[in-house]
Amino acid sequence: MNVPDVFDESFQLQFHELLESRRDVRHFKTDPVPDTVVTELVALTRLSPSVGFSQPWRFVRVDSAERREAIHGSFQRASADALASYEGERAALYAQLKLAGFREAPVHLAVFCDAATDTGKGLGSKTMPETLAYSTTMAIYTLWLAARARGIGLGWVSILDPREVERALDVPDGWRFIAYLCLGYPAGYEKTPELLRAGWEKFDARSTELTIR
């Protein structure tokens, strides 16, 4: 198959639109996502880059109501601790934020990094072991964009205790928890991040500056 050296302008504009409209979704419809679609999305992560071609990401689909409830309990405890760390107006604003779509999202995926994998033979990760986790994060982003292209929203829940998640899902030793993802058809799309709309944070131009040494 011939691969173009440069994708045409129409594709570039659509790709920009995809990136711009890729948002962290917390408001979902309850419509089910076909199992075949979920399988296809996870399969596409094989195209993600990984250090030493280690492919260390491990996806766990959480369908058990009991396990979901355990994860939600971890979220509630962690969120309460986070709320207690803020004061005044910031605490009041935090309390109003919708930070996860546990109840509405039909699909829950937990993502782990297999730090003990021998795939890749340690190339690159012997000097920088953290690149295994970075590679797993790249796989998550591949999944995120692929889901958005199919009209499926994704919400990354990070307000969790990693050890509690690992115990709740009974994963193998050596699997490091990276992310808990809620997937489903979004109630609506916004190009502006929800935390900007809520006034939690402002856009920081420093994140797009290029430092030259």
Side-chain angles (χ1 to χ4, degrees):
M1 184 178 72
N2 292 327
V3 179
D5 292 330
V6 179
F7 290 91
D8 63 28
E9 184 177 358
S10 175
F11 178 88
Q12 292 178 41
L13 290 172
Q14 284 188 305
F15 183 65
H16 182 273
E17 181 75 14
L18 176 65
L19 294 178
E20 190 176 34
S21 62
R22 191 274 330 138
R23 300 266 60 92
D24 193 315
V25 176
R26 288 90 180 268
H27 302 271
F28 295 94
K29 299 177 182 177
T30 55
D31 306 46
V33 178
D35 290 344
T36 53
V37 174
V38 177
T39 300
E40 289 170 4
L41 292 175
V42 173
L44 280 171
T45 62
R46 73 186 186 281
L47 302 177
S48 305
S50 61
V51 60
F53 201 56
S54 56
Q55 307 156 83
W57 47 84
R58 306 289 182 260
F59 286 85
V60 175
R61 179 164 177 171
V62 185
D63 286 346
S64 162
E66 181 180 357
R67 294 184 193 274
R68 285 192 180 192
E69 198 58 41
I71 303 297
H72 188 242
S74 180
F75 167 78
Q76 289 178 312
R77 289 187 292 274
S79 186
D81 289 343
L83 176 58
S85 70
Y86 298 111
E87 297 179 350
E89 293 183 2
R90 184 63 62 177
L93 180 54
Y94 181 93
Q96 295 173 12
L97 295 173
K98 181 174 174 56
L99 299 170
F102 281 110
R103 300 303 188 191
E104 305 93 339
V107 179
H108 291 201
L109 295 176
V111 190
F112 298 85
C113 172
D114 184 359
T117 183
D118 60 359
T119 305
K121 311 302 185 292
L123 179 63
S125 61
K126 287 185 177 180
T127 48
M128 293 184 65
E130 63 271 24
T131 54
L132 292 170
Y134 299 162
S135 298
T136 303
T137 304
M138 292 291 288
I140 293 169
Y141 197 52
T142 297
L143 175 74
W144 206 332
L145 292 178
R148 175 64 187 90
R150 289 165 172 75
I152 297 169
L154 183 152
W156 182 330
V157 184
S158 60
I159 307 173
L160 294 165
D161 182 314
R163 304 290 85 78
E164 290 182 352
V165 175
E166 290 164 2
R167 287 194 297 270
L169 300 182
D170 193 24
V171 297
D173 292 340
W175 283 25
R176 174 187 170 189
F177 175 65
I178 301 296
Y180 197 87
L181 310 177
C182 294
L183 280 79
Y185 296 104
Y189 274 114
E190 294 280 353
K191 289 186 177 181
T192 305
E194 185 167 346
L195 294 180
L196 282 182
R197 299 198 309 273
W200 180 262
E201 193 51 88
K202 298 181 291 185
F203 177 75
D204 187 350
R206 292 174 299 178
S207 64
T208 59
E209 291 176 354
L210 180 62
T211 300
I212 301 176
R213 292 285 188 263

